[in-house]
């Protein structure tokens, strides 16, 4: 191999970094015109949560409650981006579900079966983007070991109560700090909304026909919380959560976006689920 000058090596290193770096790391704000590389979005059913006390997530509510669990699969040109992975697929084969924290988790359909129904394999998912690291959002992360994780750095670096990391250090990861126009065309934008957890994020998706959707993650759990500008006391940081609600309201306003609240049970009949899709 011929000897290279330092300059040549520097240029090659820069080229490699540009080639390998996450898409459009520098772009922060989505461009306003809809020049969208995003083609379609599938809503996936990712479980149900029965609550003995609805007020554990909806302050002021009384009696038992129910939350749905939603995941979303987005096709962007050559890439598939999965947003959240729901409760563990193993629960679908447990007749009484599984108790977890404030609720009982059940599932009538696995995430894997829904992905397979679309003719896809987990390894087809280029990017696995996560709103945050709670168990009802990361239940099937292990099945996507070949995908690149997309999480806020603050979430990635937040240790579990036992001090262990939340994510497999061997998995490829893009650690995001703040907002990011992920594909650089304004079609899919991570919106930093900390508070429910240290590095919570929402996802703004601007579809060619359906328009802008803001996927809530757990920045808001229920429509009642949104309407009353409230968050659960169990959140990691309540004042920060309220600031994030304001940020979401600004995004909804700026992009004339629909807010889709992933846990809101009353939204289930309003959605088309995979294999149907939004474009
Ligand atoms: Zn959560």
């Amino acid at each position: 191999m011929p000897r290279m000058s330092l300059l040549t090596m520097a240029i090659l290193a820069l080229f490699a970094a540009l080639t390998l770096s996450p898409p459009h790391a520098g772009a922060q704000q989505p461009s306003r015109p809809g020049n969208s590389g995003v083609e379609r979005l599938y809503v996936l059913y990712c479980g149900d949560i029965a609550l003995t006390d609805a007020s554990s997530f909806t302050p002021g509510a009384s009696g038992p409650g129910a939350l749905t669990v939603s995941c979303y699969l987005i096709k962007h040109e050559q890439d598939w981006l999965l947003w959240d992975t729901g409760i563990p697929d193993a629960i679908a084969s447990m007749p009484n579900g599984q108790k977890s924290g404030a609720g009982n988790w059940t599932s009538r359909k696995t995430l894997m079966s829904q992905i397979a129904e679309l003719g896809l394999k987990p390894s087809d998912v280029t990017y696995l983007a996560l709103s945050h690291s709670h168990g009802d959002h990361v239940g099937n992360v292990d099945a996507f070991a070949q995908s690149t994780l997309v999480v806020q750095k603050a979430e990635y670096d937040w240790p579990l109560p036992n001090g262990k990391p939340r994510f497999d250090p061997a998995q490829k990861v893009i650690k995001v700090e703040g907002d990011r126009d992920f594909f650089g065309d304004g079609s899919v934008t991570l919106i930093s909304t900390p508070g429910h957890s240290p590095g919570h994020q929402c996802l703004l998706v601007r579809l060619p026909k359906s328009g802008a959707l803001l996927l809530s993650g757990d920045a808001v759990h229920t429509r009642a919380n949104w309407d009353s500008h409230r968050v659960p006391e169990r959140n990691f940081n309540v004042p920060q959560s309220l600031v994030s609600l304001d940020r979401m309201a600004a995004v909804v306003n700026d992009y004339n976006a629909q807010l889709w609240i992933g846990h809101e049970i009353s939204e289930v009949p309003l959605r088309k689920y995979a294999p149907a899709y939004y474009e």
Side-chain angles (χ1 to χ4, degrees):
M1 184 171 165
R3 286 174 58 194
M4 288 185 284
S5 72
L6 277 176
L7 180 62
T8 309
M9 286 193 284
I11 289 168
L12 286 175
L14 178 66
F15 180 76
L18 287 172
T19 309
L20 296 172
S21 73
H24 309 282
Q28 290 304 312
Q29 278 298 318
S31 56
R32 298 292 156 135
N35 178 23
S36 186
V38 73
E39 294 169 18
R40 53 191 190 270
L41 175 145
Y42 295 90
V43 182
L44 306 173
Y45 162 83
C46 277
D48 282 292
I49 300 177
L51 301 169
T52 44
D53 179 3
S55 73
S56 53
F57 285 97
T58 307
S62 58
L67 301 174
T68 186
V69 184
S70 308
C71 306
Y72 307 86
L73 184 63
I74 296 158
K75 173 85 164 42
H76 182 281
E77 294 176 352
Q78 304 311 309
D79 294 317
W80 290 94
L81 181 147
L82 178 63
W83 176 248
D84 284 346
T85 68
I87 67 171
D89 273 358
I91 291 175
S93 55
M94 301 177 189
N96 299 317
Q98 181 174 286
K99 286 239 168 296
S100 183
N104 192 66
W105 295 359
T106 55
S107 176
R108 51 187 166 71
K109 197 171 189 187
T110 64
L111 173 60
M112 286 313 126
S113 70
Q114 294 171 78
I115 287 180
E117 199 179 347
L118 298 175
L120 298 171
K121 309 179 293 299
S123 60
D124 292 323
V125 173
T126 328
Y127 300 108
L128 176 55
L130 299 168
S131 61
H132 67 302
S133 59
H134 286 157
D136 54 329
H137 296 259
V138 299
N140 298 297
V141 166
D142 290 354
F144 300 91
Q146 295 175 66
S147 310
T148 298
L149 283 173
V150 181
V151 289
Q152 290 284 321
K153 183 175 187 298
E155 194 78 5
Y156 193 89
D157 292 344
W158 181 35
L160 287 167
N162 64 10
K164 294 204 167 129
R166 283 169 192 264
F167 299 100
D168 180 354
Q171 184 157 9
K172 286 173 290 178
V173 61
I174 296 172
K175 296 180 206 170
V176 182
E177 293 180 78
D179 295 351
R180 186 179 292 188
D181 174 1
F182 192 71
F183 293 107
D185 59 6
S187 64
V188 176
T189 305
L190 302 158
I191 308 283
S192 172
T193 47
H196 175 66
S197 64
H200 188 281
Q201 56 186 353
C202 299
L203 195 68
L204 175 67
V205 185
R206 296 164 79 201
L207 290 164
K209 292 185 184 159
S210 304
L213 311 174
L214 182 62
L215 308 180
S216 67
D218 283 6
V220 57
H221 290 85
T222 60
R223 181 60 59 177
N225 283 358
W226 179 255
D227 290 343
S228 59
H229 201 264
R230 277 193 263 193
V231 298
E233 287 299 323
R234 63 197 306 127
N235 273 8
F236 180 77
N237 183 324
V238 167
Q240 198 179 38
S241 304
L242 295 173
V243 172
S244 287
L245 287 183
D246 292 337
R247 178 76 211 289
M248 293 165 74
V251 170
V252 164
N253 186 58
D254 285 356
Y255 295 95
N256 193 25
Q258 300 175 51
L259 173 64
W260 284 11
I261 300 174
H263 281 310
E264 173 56 59
I265 196 84
S266 72
E267 291 189 6
V268 171
L270 307 178
R271 301 281 169 261
K272 309 186 273 199
Y273 283 80
Y277 56 85
Y278 294 84
E279 57 186 349

